[in-house]
Amino acid sequence: ELDLRISVISQKQEAHLGLQATVVQTKEAPENIVVWDIGGGSHQLITRENNKLLVLESSLASVSFKNRVITDIKKKSVATTNSPNP
């Protein structure tokens, strides 16, 4: 109906777009920036060094990170604790 073209992108492409957007917004050189993009199912860290993109991809994301804080640091159950915040 809207005639939109939709594509699923990789974590690496997502990270690259995040770095490009940050460069535009901050006007900093990419070599001076590290972008941490955390979503519900994955996260990426990206920077540029010597004209090469360095990307760390992981399945640790906001939900799994929250759950690890609750169980490993707060020593509580995710079944009974919704947030690691006080």
Side-chain angles (χ1 to χ4, degrees):
E1 186 175 301
L2 296 175
D3 196 32
L4 298 175
R5 185 173 162 251
I6 298 173
S7 299
V8 176
I9 62 173
S10 68
Q11 283 188 344
K12 185 175 252 178
Q13 290 169 312
E14 182 180 0
H16 189 223
L17 289 171
L19 180 62
Q20 287 178 316
T22 303
V23 168
V24 169
Q25 286 294 312
T26 64
K27 298 178 179 44
E28 284 286 334
E31 293 80 9
N32 296 335
I33 297 172
V34 175
V35 175
W36 179 26
D37 179 357
I38 187 165
S42 67
H43 85 256
Q44 304 83 36
L45 290 167
I46 185 168
T47 190
R48 179 172 291 187
E49 185 177 283
N50 299 324
N51 277 338
K52 183 177 179 185
L53 291 177
L54 305 175
V55 180
L56 170 69
E57 303 171 31
S58 172
S59 61
L60 181 67
S62 59
V63 174
S64 56
F65 181 77
K66 170 192 69 98
N67 291 343
R68 298 252 334 245
V69 170
I70 291 171
T71 58
D72 297 353
I73 296 173
K74 304 221 46 153
K75 306 293 185 201
K76 295 184 177 182
S77 168
V78 294
T80 58
T81 306
N82 293 327
S83 171
N85 297 324

